[in-house]
Every structure is written in C-alpha cells, then in structure tokens.
Amino acid sequence: VFVSAAVASILHADLDAFFASVEQRDDPQLRGRPVIVGPGVVLAASYEARAFGVRSAMGGRRAHELCPDAIVVAPRFSTYVRASRAVFAILDAAAPTVEHVSIDEAFLDVRGLEAISGSPAEIARRLRARVRQEVGLPLSVGVATTKHLAKVASGAAKPDGLLVIAAGDEQAFLHPLPVQRLWGVGAATAQRLRAHGIVTVGQLAALPEELVMGMVGRAAGRRLHALAHNRDPRPVRAGRGRRSVGSQRALGRGRRSPEALDAVAIALVDRVTRRMRAGARLGRTVVLRLRFGDFSRASRSRTMARPTAATAPILTVVRSLLAAERETIERRGLTLLGVTVTNLESSVTGAQLELPLDGHDPAALDTTVDAIRDRFGTSAISRARLLQAGDRAAPWRQPGDEG
DNA sequence: TCTGGGGTCCTAGGACCC
DNA sequence: TCTGGGGTCCTAGGACCC
C-alpha cells in the first residue's frame, strides 16, 4: 500500500525535553532554570540547560563544565511512565490511528477527520492545549504529508511549538536544511556525505539515486534519496508492538569474579523475562551484549527451538554464551553486560486460534476480543487488531504446534 | 569526554534446503 | 563429477535513534 496524503494530515507529536519538563512541572523551583536529569550521563536537559550546550547522552562532568549552575536531579522513571500514559490517552482519543514511537513521541493520521474534528492544524492546536492543561507538559507538533516530514517539522517547531508544512511547500522547507536533519543520518553518514561535498538536503536531492547509494550503501542510499524528495511511503500504524526486550548494566572498570558476573546475568534475565511476561510476549533469540575494558563491543546470540518467556531456559542460554567468552573477558575486562530477547511473538496465539474466522459474526468476535483483553491485558489487543486487518506479517501458529 | 539504558534496521557470510 | 537458480534461517557487527 502506497500512502501519500494529498493534504498535510500526518501529525508528529513530541514532548519537549520530556524528563526535564516533568521535573520542572513537579517542582516550581526548577522552572525557568537549567535542569539536568542525571546523575552521570545526561538523560535529559531542559532548554535552559541546552542553551549552554548541554545535550543528552553527554557525560556528567562535561555537562557540569558547560553549565555549572545546572540543577541535577535523579530520574523518576515511574513518574515519567505515568505522565506518558496520560499524554497518550489524549492522543489516542484524537485520532483512530495513533502510532506510539517511544515514551515521548507519536504519529497520528488525521485524514478524514475534517468534518468531526476540524483541520489537522486545529487538531494539533487542541492537542497541545489539552496536554498543557491536563498533564502540564509542553508538546510540540509537526504536521505534513509524510511521517518523515512531520517529524522534521516537529523538531523545527521546538520548543513548545506547532509547524504545518502545507502540501506543495515541502521542498522549499526541506532543501535548505543540513543533511543531519534527515531520519537515519547521524555522524557517520553525515561525514561520508560531507566528503563528497554534500551538506544540505537540497544538494542531496540534486544527486541521482545511484550516486547516493554508492556513497552510503544500498538501503541507506535509497532511503536518503527518497527522503530528500519527501517520498516516504510508511503509513501510520496503530499500536505497533516492540520487536525486542532487553536490559543491560554498566559494570565500571573493576574486575568481577565469575560468580559476581553470574549474579548480574541472573538479575538481567529476571528483569527481561518479567517484562516479557507482563506484555504477554515470547521470544526465541537470546542476544548477549558485551563491552570490554577498551570499550569495544561484541554480541553473541543463540536462537532457541521454541519461543519462551520463562527465566530458566533463557538463563541457561545466557550462561552458556557467557561461559564461551570467559577467557576473552578475563583477558580484556568487561565494562558492560546486556541481555536482549528478540524474535518476539505474542503469547496469545492459543486464544487467537479460537477466533471465529469463517463465521464473520461481529458479536462473537467482540466476545473473543474481550476475553483476550481480560486474560492478557490490552497490549494483546493491538495484535488482534492487526490480524483482524489481515496483517500477513504477523506470526501465525499452526494448529499442530505446541503451546 | 573516559562511557547509560532502551531500542530499530541493515549488511554480509555461512549453513542448509529443494 | 560438477554445477544452476531459487530460497530460508542464523549469527555478528555497525549505524542510528530517543
């Protein structure tokens, strides 16, 4: 399906400096002042702190040098999750198709809502006002014909702004921007383009696709060329599920005994499997992430015969992958250990098989969907909707399979 | 600047299958 | 004995994003 909206009706909603804004909301003394959510690496910086050059992912020491007067507060993740849920409740009520991208970001497709809710710009204005009034947070919104441009627009609208790129104005907006503003262009790709004298989106757009592919690789080149021309066929997808669940822990420089490492592994596996069970998800591939004493990285993975969310089999795999690296770890030291489970599928396939697929009885379907929600929680329902819509990509177990 | 924690997608080679 | 043409799945690593 190639979705290309004739009018700008895709919204990208993005909470400004999310963690830092929540802290300023809850402590009036922090308002108007540089706030860093830390300590250690900067998780979020208020706009007052950003004015001094402080950025997220920056080391705490560097941040202190740039902005010695910043107030550093410890993160309160459960408060952020609550705030995020309150915002998403408002977004979910505003459009039938809302794609949750991360804790502070979402796409909305508001096509066809003109008669009920007004123009996309009016919907965006109302969303911003409601989030401000009801949750107390600044929300920036970009409106455009594609997801990519809506995201670029919300970025340009920040802080606390709204920017609508009308159909037909795309190239004029896009072309003067630096290439880094394109989705998927980071330091490495920007450097490669700069080596060819390409700095702006306009310069990139002037090149034939083959040339761009030669500079940055096949897939990336194709995507960049399309984005520079504002071609982005990705539709807004309701409630897209996550593809992996992981947890990791930095270990510092000190040496750890195999027993201490095993204790960390147990804690990581426990965290990951708990989250999988809470989300009714099973996984088949276990990835062990390692970072050595010199900060080089490696990953080791193993795919199991059957998907699971149980602690024991996943811990067994993690232990065996870890044991195979023992010598390397002893030689080079270990500064980070992580466990990620991918190849996820929903654990509710048993219930899915009970759907009356050939009956087309809406009442029976509703009953089944309600039953699934009661047993497995709302996270299972997005999957059921996808299947209802005929999503062939969703895993579909055969009746003879176990589980 | 000595370094968090959570993710996504792509590439490439090898094993294996018909 | 040598080899076509099509494919899937797994593993490891890299770039990127918030």
Side-chain angles (χ1 to χ4, degrees):
Chain A
V1 181
F2 193 91
V3 177
S4 172
V7 289
S9 56
I10 293 178
L11 273 58
H12 181 253
D14 200 342
L15 291 157
D16 301 330
F18 179 44
F19 296 175
S21 293
V22 172
E23 297 304 332
Q24 288 179 321
R25 176 196 71 179
D26 293 350
D27 182 355
Q29 296 195 1
L30 300 180
R31 291 179 201 163
R33 303 183 60 184
V35 173
I36 291 172
V37 180
V41 165
V42 176
L43 294 172
S46 72
Y47 278 83
E48 294 84 358
R50 291 185 196 197
F52 290 86
V54 178
R55 297 285 178 270
S56 60
M58 183 179 271
R61 192 169 301 176
R62 174 89 182 120
H64 181 73
E65 283 167 16
L66 289 167
C67 186
D69 295 332
I71 302 162
V72 180
V73 295
R76 298 180 298 148
F77 288 106
S78 55
T79 306
Y80 307 149
V81 170
R82 269 200 303 280
S84 172
R85 285 197 185 130
V87 171
F88 276 114
I90 293 171
L91 301 183
D92 287 340
T97 311
V98 180
E99 180 175 331
H100 298 203
V101 179
S102 68
I103 193 166
D104 60 355
E105 217 188 317
F107 286 104
L108 295 82
D109 187 340
V110 300
R111 269 180 307 174
L113 295 183
E114 191 91 39
I116 314 163
S117 311
S119 70
E122 285 163 351
I123 294 172
R125 268 192 287 276
R126 215 162 40 238
L127 281 178
R128 281 171 31 75
R130 279 196 68 187
V131 169
R132 169 64 81 177
Q133 269 167 26
E134 296 171 28
V135 195
L137 293 173
L139 178 78
S140 290
V141 180
V143 185
T145 50
T146 62
K147 281 169 93 169
H148 174 255
L149 198 64
K151 185 168 166 60
V152 176
S154 74
K158 281 175 180 296
D160 201 9
L162 166 64
L163 181 59
V164 180
I165 310 294
D169 294 349
E170 291 101 340
Q171 313 280 330
F173 169 72
L174 212 44
H175 284 187
L177 298 176
V179 286
Q180 279 100 321
R181 299 290 282 276
L182 295 181
W183 170 69
V185 179
T189 306
Q191 173 54 43
R192 235 174 278 169
L193 292 172
R194 193 161 48 240
H196 291 86
I198 308 300
V199 180
T200 68
V201 178
Q203 289 175 313
L204 186 64
L207 299 177
E209 188 183 41
E210 295 72 37
L211 219 56
V212 185
M213 283 162 63
M215 292 176 189
V216 300
R218 207 178 151 76
R222 202 169 277 155
R223 194 182 58 217
L224 252 52
H225 184 261
L227 293 181
H229 291 274
N230 191 38
R231 284 197 309 268
D232 179 10
R234 296 172 301 164
V236 178
R237 294 172 62 179
R240 219 173 144 230
R242 64 168 77 249
R243 305 282 242 261
S244 65
V245 179
S247 185
Q248 56 185 56
R249 197 145 116 225
L251 301 173
R253 291 205 155 273
R255 296 271 157 166
R256 310 241 173 171
S257 66
E259 294 73 31
L261 235 40
D262 189 58
V264 173
I266 291 170
L268 291 172
V269 170
D270 184 55
R271 237 180 89 72
V272 168
T273 52
R274 266 174 208 279
R275 281 163 57 201
M276 290 172 68
R277 291 191 291 266
R281 309 278 277 174
L282 303 177
R284 216 155 70 81
T285 303
V286 180
V287 184
L288 187 73
R289 297 187 188 286
L290 305 165
R291 193 182 64 192
F292 298 108
D294 61 359
F295 281 81
S296 62
R297 294 165 180 279
S299 67
R300 298 287 177 263
S301 65
R302 180 123 83 224
T303 300
M304 302 175 287
R306 268 187 295 281
T308 179
T311 307
I314 292 174
L315 183 58
T316 302
V317 171
V318 165
R319 279 179 167 151
S320 122
L321 290 172
L322 197 53
E325 300 302 316
R326 228 186 71 191
E327 268 184 40
T328 318
I329 291 170
E330 274 169 21
R331 202 172 59 247
R332 302 170 63 186
L334 192 70
T335 56
L336 178 139
L337 187 63
V339 172
T340 296
V341 179
T342 68
N343 247 326
L344 294 187
E345 63 176 64
S346 172
S347 64
V348 301
T349 34
Q352 285 171 1
L353 290 176
E354 293 165 20
L355 289 172
L357 288 173
D358 43 12
H360 296 300
D361 177 353
L365 200 58
D366 281 348
T367 308
T368 311
V369 169
D370 284 344
I372 294 171
R373 183 187 294 119
D374 288 347
R375 276 181 67 193
F376 301 103
T378 39
S379 62
I381 294 304
S382 62
R383 203 51 172 253
R385 280 212 192 107
L386 280 177
L387 293 168
Q388 220 176 309
D391 186 348
R392 286 158 185 274
W396 192 239
R397 260 200 241 178
Q398 299 303 310
D401 284 1
E402 287 179 58

